[in-house]
């Protein structure tokens, strides 16, 4: 499995009894990335049976409480659980002081290193890269400095066409890596076997874009072009467009327009205003523009293979 | 009703799925006092159907996360709900910076005034008083500066003995307040009717003491002497006395000893270590010392009339 997204909360602003503020757990190429961390996220992680020990990277979109008030509690719990590996926290400039001041007042001696990567740029930049995954910022437009995040698998290796390879006894298993990396094979006779004859196209590299909170911002379209999965906030319906503009949020119509223009695979809406009891109104507004639109479901794993 | 205590959470340290860290709502003489505010307290308040608008006084025992990480979220919600009346927060020195730094980073403009009463004394002092209620600190002994709190109704007015009063046509309704305040009545003839003949003893003034977190601290006994209700932490059983001493907590035996020596009405234990699945072991240890010991029950109102 390439990507598994578990939504831990998608409430806006005021926490409720049976839902939770924004937090998501993204598993991509076997890495665990936590995205946003509203109050109570650590309990939601428990409900999702997440392995706390695997959380080494946290991405915070912005410093509004419904996206970050659970972070200090999670850090505190990781400490009580004896975490030793470093924790990287990506978030807006100020997040280090925000957290460290709380740790200081609570007289916490962290058992692990916290590495804060503070963001303040206004254009999309790569903020994380390892062997298999890259993460980019998606600058958003909210009342406070905010980034979405784009998570991408790197291009994968080509797959061996075993039947084809076996026709050449000269090709040994120690050659396979070169083939997967796209190299041609040269026989002792000097004959060149083109790579395409020995390998198959790699599995597609999957991608996920998280965009919350934000006003309609069409200039993110090139950044998220063609992602397999997009989470885009839709706090309001279009009849409250003025309210959306004023509070720095999007409507369902706007979220769907972004999804359509970016030609994404699937759109998940979220961060709905508490005024909407029946969330199907969101789908009614979005689907005529982008059909593959869905509501978030707490703890339901969205998988992209 | 004089006192109604609703326990919103009594977990120690790590939040769990079906319980919550320390928080209590005390209704005393129709005032709403929130005691401690671990992560998720605002959701617990909703579950308890508490009226957020009535919360004007919050008492924080100490700045460990399981007692205070929910405070910023509650303040944030009170603000979103349009609270206008001032909020008084009593807590250890540092609590103002702890909260204000978070409000600054989240760019929150509070719609109401927050008045921080920072404590740093080592002896019991009166920190709140109005017409009907007084609150005193109970200095505790934990790993970090900590106070328990003693909530007391002030002595109530005497009650009219209507039958007795009606024997004296000279006593008018406008005289009743003087009688309730303990004054004798002087007839026109000059004869003095002693107050005791015209009134009955007042209803008893009720009191509640909250003591968490703390090592066994027998010098709190005179402060809480005779309270109707005592909540005293008992994180461990006696077989882990060393652990209790080391981590700054009490055993069930110690909590019961405090209750017995202070001759309290009823003892509620709490703040149990996660290692205890069956909490009846706490009662087994405490009841031989102080029989009227009980386990806390989430959302169950403990009433003292």
């Amino acid at each position: 499995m390439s990507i598994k997204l578990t939504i831990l909360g998608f409430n806006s602003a005021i926490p409720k009894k049976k839902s939770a503020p924004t937090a998501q757990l993204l598993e991509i190429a076997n890495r665990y990335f936590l995205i946003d961390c509203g109050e109570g996220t650590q309990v939601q992680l428990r409900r999702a049976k997440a392995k706390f020990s695997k959380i080494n990277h946290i991405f915070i979109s912005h410093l509004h409480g419904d996206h970050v008030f659970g972070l200090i509690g999670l850090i505190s719990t990781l400490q009580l659980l004896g975490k030793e590996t470093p924790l990287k926290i990506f978030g807006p400039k100020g997040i280090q002081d925000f957290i460290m001041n709380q740790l200081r007042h609570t007289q916490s001696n962290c058992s692990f290193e916290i590495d804060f990567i503070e963001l303040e740029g206004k254009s999309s930049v790569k903020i994380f890269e390892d062997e298999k995954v890259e993460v980019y910022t998606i600058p958003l437009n909210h009342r406070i400095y905010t980034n979405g995040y784009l998570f991408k698998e790197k291009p994968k290796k080509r797959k061996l066409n075993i039947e084809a390879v076996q026709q050449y006894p000269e090709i040994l298993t120690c050659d396979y890596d070169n083939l997967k990396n796209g190299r041609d094979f040269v026989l002792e006779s000097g004959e060149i076997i083109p790579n395409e004859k020995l390998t198959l196209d790699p599995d597609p590299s999957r991608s996920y874009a998280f965009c919350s909170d934000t006003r309609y911002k069409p200039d993110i379209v090139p950044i998220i072009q063609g992602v397999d999965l997009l989470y885009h906030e839709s706090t309001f319906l279009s009849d409250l467009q003025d309210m959306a503009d004023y509070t720095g949020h999007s409507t369902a119509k706007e979220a769907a327009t972004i999804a359509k223009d970016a030609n994404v695979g699937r759109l998940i809406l979220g961060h709905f205003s508490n005024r909407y009891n029946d969330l199907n109104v969101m789908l009614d507004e979005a689907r005529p523009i982008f059909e593959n639109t869905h509501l978030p479901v707490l703890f339901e794993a969205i998988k992209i293979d």
Side-chain angles (χ1 to χ4, degrees), chain A:
Chain A
M1 178 189 51
S2 291
I3 283 185
K4 178 179 162 191
L5 180 72
T6 307
I7 293 179
L8 305 168
F10 55 83
N11 239 50
S12 70
I14 300 179
K16 285 174 161 178
K17 277 181 281 190
K18 290 193 176 170
S19 58
T22 305
Q24 305 187 349
L25 183 63
L26 176 69
E27 295 172 63
I28 176 168
N30 293 317
R31 282 123 183 94
Y32 249 49
F33 292 152
L34 182 67
I35 308 167
D36 278 354
C37 193
E39 185 176 353
T41 294
Q42 61 173 316
V43 176
Q44 296 296 87
L45 282 165
R46 276 192 195 283
R47 291 190 175 122
K49 298 188 171 50
K51 290 179 187 133
F52 280 53
S53 60
K54 289 182 75 176
I55 300 174
N56 294 316
H57 299 86
I58 300 176
F59 298 83
I60 301 293
S61 62
H62 65 297
L63 294 182
H64 277 162
D66 56 332
H67 295 252
V68 74
F69 282 163
L71 182 54
I72 183 68
L74 176 61
I75 290 172
S76 188
T77 291
L78 291 175
Q79 182 184 331
L80 289 166
L81 294 173
K83 180 176 179 62
E84 290 178 354
T85 51
L87 178 66
K88 277 187 193 295
I89 298 177
F90 302 81
K93 189 170 165 61
I95 194 167
Q96 177 162 359
D97 180 66
F98 177 82
I99 291 298
M100 294 309 291
N101 192 58
Q102 293 181 72
L103 288 175
R104 186 172 62 80
H105 281 297
T106 55
Q107 296 184 16
S108 304
N109 296 313
C110 241
S111 58
F112 55 94
E113 189 190 319
I114 307 181
D115 183 12
F116 291 93
I117 296 91
E118 295 200 322
L119 308 169
E120 48 183 332
K122 292 188 171 175
S123 50
S124 177
V125 289
K126 190 195 289 179
I127 53 170
F128 175 85
E129 176 173 15
D130 69 10
E131 197 187 317
K132 293 195 171 177
V133 177
E134 290 175 333
V135 184
Y136 296 80
T137 57
I138 307 168
L140 299 177
N141 174 7
H142 190 39
R143 301 195 303 279
I144 193 173
Y145 178 76
T146 306
N147 283 296
Y149 294 102
L150 169 65
F151 302 85
K152 288 170 74 167
E153 286 187 301
K154 284 185 174 179
K156 295 175 183 171
K157 290 183 177 179
R158 297 185 65 78
K159 294 192 285 190
L160 286 187
N161 182 340
I162 287 291
E163 276 186 21
V165 167
Q166 284 174 343
Q167 289 172 17
Y168 301 90
E170 273 182 52
I171 302 180
L172 305 175
T173 52
C174 60
D175 298 314
Y176 288 0
D177 246 18
N178 280 337
L179 295 179
K180 288 180 189 168
N181 286 328
R183 291 222 198 141
D184 299 334
F185 192 83
V186 184
L187 299 177
E188 278 185 21
S189 65
E191 188 192 346
I192 296 174
I193 317 294
N195 186 277
E196 299 78 48
K197 280 201 170 174
L198 301 169
T199 62
L200 305 167
D201 284 345
D203 286 332
S205 296
R206 299 304 189 177
S207 53
Y208 169 58
F210 170 89
C211 297
S212 187
D213 297 351
T214 189
R215 291 185 182 89
Y216 176 62
K217 190 164 185 281
D219 67 6
I220 67 172
V221 167
I223 305 170
I224 65 172
Q225 189 67 40
V227 295
D228 298 285
L229 183 63
L230 168 66
Y231 175 92
H232 195 293
E233 73 126 293
S234 65
T235 308
F236 299 105
L237 292 177
S238 291
D239 61 340
L240 292 179
Q241 184 68 57
D242 288 351
M243 177 81 90
D245 295 340
Y246 179 71
T247 58
H249 290 294
S250 298
T251 64
K253 182 181 171 188
E254 289 171 330
T257 303
I258 294 284
K260 179 187 167 210
D261 292 348
N263 194 26
V264 310
R266 194 193 322 192
L267 170 65
I268 310 284
L269 301 176
H271 201 270
F272 312 112
S273 162
N274 282 333
R275 78 194 64 214
Y276 303 111
N277 290 318
D278 177 4
L279 295 173
N280 285 307
V281 292
M282 292 283 159
L283 295 182
D284 293 344
E285 180 167 303
R287 282 188 170 161
I289 299 162
F290 186 78
E291 196 182 343
N292 201 6
T293 302
H294 301 270
L295 294 174
V297 178
L298 279 183
F299 306 121
E300 186 189 68
I302 302 163
K303 293 178 185 175
I304 301 174
D305 290 322

